[in-house]
Every structure is written in structure tokens, then in C-alpha cells.
Amino acid sequence: MSLMLEVAHLSKQFKDTLAVNDLSFTVNEGDVYGFLGQNGAGKSTTLRMLLTLIHPTSGEIHLFGKNILDHPNHALEQTGAVIERPDLYKYLSAYDNLYIFAKMSGIKPTQELIMKNLQLVGLSERAQSKVKTFSQGMKQRLGIAVALVHNPRLVILDEPTNGLDPQGIADMRQLILHLSRDLGKTVIVSSHLLNEIEQIANRMIIIHKGSKIAEGNVAELLDPGNTLVELDTTDNPRAFSFLQQSSFTHGLEQKDGLIRLHMDRQEIPRLVETITTDGQGILSVRPRHSLEDYFLSLTNPDTHVESPANRIV
Amino acid sequence: MKKNLLLTAFFAMLLSFVSQAQDINILLQKAKAKIETVKDYQAQGRMKTNVAFLKVPVATVSVFYKKPNRLKVKSEKGISFIPKGAVSINMSGILGNINFTVLDAGTDKINGTVVRIAKLLPTDDNSDIVLSTLYIDEASSLILKAKTTTRENGTYELEMTYGKYAAYSLPDKIIFSFNTKDYKLPKGVTFDFDDGVAPPAADKSKNKKGRAEITFSSYVINKGVADALFN
Amino acid sequence: MWNLLQIELYKISRRSRTYIAFAAITAIVLIFQLAFKADGTAYLDFMSQDVMDTFQFDKSKAINGYFMCYIILNTLLVQVPILIALVAGDAISGEANMGTLRLILTKPVSRTQLILVKFFASVIFTIMLLLWMAVTALFFSMLIFGVDDMLIFRSKGDVSQILQITKDDVLWRYLCAFLYATVALTVIASLALLLSVFAENSIGPIIATVCIVIVCTIISNINVPIVDKYAKPYLFTSYLVGWKGFFYIASTEDGETIKGSMENWPAVRNSLLTLLGYIAVFLSAAIISFRKKDILS
């Protein structure tokens, strides 16, 4: 899988708020990449920076191999997006809207192409209706048709299920999966709902207050058996090199004078045993909470769960 | 004899005075008679107006006259600003139907021609004309210049140059000078473009005289003029 | 670029507010024409009250199509900036308000391009509006009132003047005047566009533009020496009425007008250059600020 998007040390400062803080992540061709975070976490700001709507304070974004600030059109020609609400020209018909944005995307839209795209989102029968007569779900679908009309490689959808009824949400999920599986698009989709991302994304990033909390494979990140463990021994450097030779290498690192690694909680006794056989004394073993617990705690402030710290899967 | 001589001298002097007084009246009558040979005319001419507040092109005008005192200046094309006192472009306006007392005011020279000066005082107290001064060329009985003071329209002056139509006492060129008021647009009706050029301030105090100059190219005399033209 | 401009013009043409301007102009022009048809000489009497003592002129000839158009433009060109602001002030802010701005900018359209397209669309709208004014105020008036010499009532500092332009010397002046007005109104359009960049609803920039025009027009017309010297030359509103310069015909020493002439072409030319300078400044400022702007709408 080839690298499509590479974001490095991206930050955005608005006056006195740091909306995005040193964010780095990558998206591969073919991914459905979930962007998970609470409202105000910096998701939209980041996605807008990917689309050149907002200028980064620092950091770099490479899309399709080129820096987007230097080659914005190279990036935008191959990208389609719906950012927040799918706002369109209300006084124009669905057909006209699609036609206009297709032209802006640099293609020559044929009637056939327009109708095909309207069909894709189930709006072909309302082609000549003005957008102001559309329901939220219809607007959302038309917005996606606008994002797709020029056949982009990358589709960015910011909170596409916002304001939709349960049926609309289910339809949207199907549509995204269709884009990915059948049309081979790479999709970046943001949401504040973990289960939504879980159902469609293969990889994801979780951000909170502008900073990355975790990034990686969805299945692994949400695996309850995947717990971050902090370990303190009588001789950490030695224990660290010992563990490198053992089976406990997943996410193994030394940080803040401690050894950190990802592992199944059930394996902790075996970890202790392994280290003691090397003659090390164990000072402490602290299993941190799972990502899911942590994310839920963010969205539900009543439960306090400590940060699982940066995790790479 | 001596007495006789003295008496003769006195009478001669008296006679000369009387004859001179008669002379100016006669001259005036002659001039008037010449003017009155014209029953009507229509003339083509070009009118040039020179008034501080008026910037207009030279106008092609037709002048229609019919006895006793009807005169109309019409612009052939476009709009023409015609001085209101223009009635007196024809001398019959002054000489025509008003009774007046004539005073001999001596002689003067206009462009090298010696002229007699006659001052005309209307006898009618209600006449609009207060005083007319005529400068008459004795040899041709033509009025070369006329100054008229009116109650309503101030003082205006006519200067006439004669040529082809001198026999009818009709000028080839007439210069009409008159008093004008300052023109002021009602305040605040226009947003004007100020091109940064201040108008010459001297204009204000100096010359409030307007001038209109008509150069006639042709006259059609005594061939009849329709009354409708004067409406 | 041409594609984008076509789209922009299509969008403008599909909005009903666009036609408010045309309807407003038609209404004003019709009212003028009706009023003057009914009682035009009264207006002339009012304008020329001092002249009537000394001169007579054919007032029915004076009220002709050329004269009418001048009178209408004199009034209308003071109001048209509002109509221009209505469209140009909405150019960016309206898109921001609708939310379509972020959609446009996620398309491969550069921001400079977008501002230029919005600018040219506003200019085209301005031209259409002026063409419509030419049709209604000039050609309709010519049909209704006929054609004759044109009288200009002008106040120049402390003195007033009446200028007469022969009828065969008028049309080129109108052509130039309309071209000048296009430039003058484009200044308004670029100002409204600049303000539009900073706002996220269209009411703000429209009102701000109109306010700026009104305030500057008032300052331009205060006629206090210190204002005339230090403020007036720097206000674009001082130059908006420069189109009249084309009707200020030159005259000889003894007051005879010179056909085909202008009294002060350098002044008109300098006004024109000043206005073009303003357009350049406003437009560049709009481009620079729009390029820097974070799209948060």
C-alpha cells in the first residue's frame, strides 16, 4: 500500500488557542481512515488544513507526494470533500450545483456524468429540484455527489452523519463502504462517535485538544487485550535490552525513565516472571486503561480515566 | 445800419440755433423715414453670445420683423439664448410709436465717422424707455449706435454696421450690449465635478455686461411675413 | 478562469437580488421621465430663474433626451453605488455565509483566481447596470423627448454656468461618461469586494460600503478649505462625479463653445487614473487578505 498522505508536526495557533498541536500521521492509499475526537478536538481544523482552507502555523502536509502549500491544485484536483454541513447553492437545482462544482473541479461535465453521480447518491429523480427544498440527508448526499463528481482518489468527509436520522446514518455508512470497496477510493472520515469509526474505518487517529492520543489499526487499537503497561525495574536499561530479545516487543520503548509496552493484561504475570528470571528487581508494574475506556471517558466526563499516553500499533 | 447789422447777426445766430434744432429733428425724421420704408423683413444671421455665465455655440438665427413693432428672433436649429431686450434690434422699437422730446447733444465720432447725438426723452411718464441716445450719421441718416435706458431691463446698447442693406437702414451687423445679473444655480441641486480649476475671481466685479452679436447674411425685405411667426 | 467567470455570472443571473438593481433603475428612470414629460419646464424655470430676466430660450427644446439623461445620471449615479455594493459586497461573504466558500476552495481554484473572478463578475454586473441605464435613461429618453442641443447647468465654485452643447457633439460625451462611470463604480465594487473578504455575512460589507461612500461623499462636499486641501484629494468619492467633466465643454475667450472640446481633460484624466489607482489598491488588498485568510465558515 502506497503512502497517500503524510502529515508531519502540524500545528495551528488561533490567537490564544492552540487548536492543533504537533500532529503527525499518515494515510495509505485504500484506507478508510477514521478521525476520532470530541467536538472541538481539532478534527475540522486539521481536515481544513489538508484542504488548504486553513494555513498551518507550522508543520508540513504532503499529499500525493507533494507539499500541498506549494502545489495546492495538484492535491485538490484529486481530492473531494464535504466539510461540516454540505452547504450548496440553495437557489440552484441539484443538477446545476453538481454541474458548477464539476466545472470548478476542472472537468467537462456531461449530462451523463452528472446523472450518474446523482444516481450514486440516490438523487437522480430530484435532479431539477432546488436544493432549498431538500432535507438534511438529501443535502448531505448531494454534498457527497459534489465531492465525487470529478472522480477523486481521496475523499474527505467531515462528520458526514451529523444531523442524519438512523436510516440516513446507515445509508451513509453503506455509501462510504461502497466508495472504499467498490470504487477503490481512499476515504478520510471524521466523527466524534467511536462506534461509527469502528464500523467503517480500517485505521484511525484519536485526537484530543489538538494532540494525537493514538494512531493505528482500528482493530488493534480497540482490542481490549491491548493494554499499555508501564514498568519500573532496578535497572531499566538492562531490562529494556533484555525485553527486546523476548516476546514482549510490541510498542516497547523507554520513556520518562520507564519502560512502556503494549500487551494483553493477562500476560502481566509472565512479563514479571520473565524479568525476574534475568535477575532484575521489579519496582512497579502499572497497567493503563484501554483506548476505548479512555475515549469513552473523554466523551463522558463523569468517569475519569488517565491518558493511555501516545500509542502506536 | 449798425443796429441793423447787430439785429441781423442776432437773427442769424438765432436762426442757426433754430436751424440746428430743426436739423436734429429733421435728421431724426429722415432716419425714421428710411426705417419706415421697411414694412417687414426676414433675415438670416449668426448670433454670437458673450455672457460670463453662458457658454454657447454660435447660433444660426432667423429674424422676423413686421410693422409696427413686432420682432422675433428664432433659432434655426438647436437652442438659442436670445437676449430679452432684443426687441430693440430694430430701431422702430425706439422711434416707432412713442412720442418723445428730442435734445441735440452735439457731435461725436464713431469709427471715424462724425455723428450727431440725439437724446430722446419719452413724453409718456409710463413708458418703459427712460432715455434713448442715438448716434446718427448725418450723411447717410443711419443710426450707428443707440443707448437705451429702460425701467425694467436696465441699459442696453446697440451698435450697427451697415452694408448692402443700408438703403433700408438695415444693418449687416449688430452688437447688442446689455446688463446681466449674476447667475447662480439654486444651491445643492448638483454634485458637481470639481476639476480643481478656480474660476477667475475678477470676473465678478468687472464685467457684468453681456454682449450679443448678430451678423446678418441676407435680408428679404417687404415680401410679407406671416403673423403666425410672431406667436 | 473563463470557466469560473461563466459560473459566477450564471450564479449572479440566477439570484433574484441581482434584478433588484435593474428594477430600481428602471423605476427611477421612469419616474424622472414621467415627471419631466408632465412638468419639465418648471424644473428649467427653477434652474434658470436668474437667467430668465435677461434671456429667453425655447424650454421645450431644452427638455430633450440628452438633457434628461444628464439629469437622471446626476441623481442616479449617486445611488448606484448602493446597488453595486449589493452584489459586490456579497461576493465572498455571501459564499461564506452560505457555506459554499469552503466548498469552492476545496476545488482546484486558487484564491487569487477566485477574487479576480468575483471582481470581473462585479465589473460585468456594473457594466450591465450602466448599459441598462444607457438604454433607459439615454435611449428611451431620446425616443420620448427627442434630440436637441444639450444644456448643462453647472456650479463652479461661487459662480454658475449654463453650457450648451450642440446635439451632434453629445453622444461621444455620453460614451465617455459611461466608460468613466464604469471605472468609478468599479472602485465601489472593489471596495465592497475587499470588505466582503473579511465578513461572513453579506449585510456587513454592503452596509459598510454604503456608509463609507456616504461619509466620504459628505466630506468631499463639505467645501471647507482645510477639508478641500487635506482630505478631498484623497477621497475616491471626490472623483465619482468626474464623468461630468466630459460635458464641460471648452469655450473661447469670448464665451463661444468649441465643438468636440473639453474644458479640462487633464483633470478628468487624472481623476480616472486616481480611480484606477484605488481599484488597484482595493483589489490587491482583497487578494492579499483573502490569500492569508483561514476559512472557518
Side-chain angles (χ1 to χ4, degrees), chain A residues 12 48 52-55 73 76-77 83 85 87-89 91 96 100-101 103 105 146 150, chain C residues 3 6-7 10-11 14-15 95 98-99 102 104-105 107 111 291-297:
Chain A
K12 177 65 190 180
R48 281 169 189 250
T52 70
L53 292 174
I54 291 179
H55 304 284
N73 286 358
L76 294 174
E77 274 162 12
I83 297 295
R85 288 157 290 123
D87 290 316
L88 296 154
Y89 297 108
Y91 55 91
D96 281 350
I100 281 178
F101 286 109
K103 264 193 140 177
S105 308
V146 166
H150 57 298
Chain C
N3 261 344
Q6 275 181 315
I7 292 170
Y10 178 71
K11 273 153 51 184
R14 292 298 299 273
R15 302 195 71 175
E95 301 268 7
M98 276 188 292
R102 59 172 190 270
I104 294 174
L105 292 178
K107 298 294 175 187
R111 296 193 183 191
R291 285 182 69 96
K292 282 188 186 162
K293 187 182 162 86
D294 285 332
I295 308 300
L296 304 171
S297 60

Side-chain angles (χ1 to χ4, degrees), chain A residues 21 42 53 64 75 81 102 114 179 190 205 224 254 263 278 280 287 310:
Chain A
N21 182 14
L53 292 174
F64 310 113
I114 303 285
L179 290 179
S190 79
I205 183 169
Q254 273 189 287
M263 56 183 291
D278 188 45
Q280 294 293 316
N310 282 351

Side-chain angles (χ1 to χ4, degrees), chain C residues 220 225-236 238-239 274 278:
Chain C
S220 290
I226 192 165
V227 177
D228 281 359
K229 190 173 173 192
Y230 295 108
K232 205 171 166 181
Y234 305 104
L235 297 173
F236 64 90
S238 310
Y239 304 99
T274 311
Y278 268 108

Side-chain angles (χ1 to χ4, degrees), chain B residues 2-29:
Chain B
K2 230 181 182 182
K3 214 177 183 182
N4 260 353
L5 254 169
L6 251 156
L7 207 69
T8 317
F10 173 74
F11 273 107
M13 260 175 72
L14 193 73
L15 203 73
S16 80
F17 262 110
V18 171
S19 78
Q20 209 171 0
Q22 278 175 346
D23 208 13
I24 195 83
N25 266 319
I26 289 164
L27 188 57
L28 210 55
Q29 287 310 315

Side-chain angles (χ1 to χ4, degrees), chain B residues 154-203:
Chain B
T155 299
Y156 49 83
E157 208 176 289
L158 294 166
E159 275 181 68
M160 285 147 294
T161 315
Y162 296 89
K164 274 197 285 185
Y165 301 95
Y168 296 98
S169 202
L170 293 173
D172 281 4
K173 186 177 174 184
I174 183 161
I175 298 169
F176 183 59
S177 312
F178 49 91
N179 289 333
T180 60
K181 285 186 192 168
D182 254 349
Y183 172 54
K184 201 121 175 95
L185 267 176
K187 200 75 189 155
V189 290
T190 56
F191 282 102
D192 268 289
F193 173 52
D194 181 3
D195 54 15
V197 180
D203 258 5

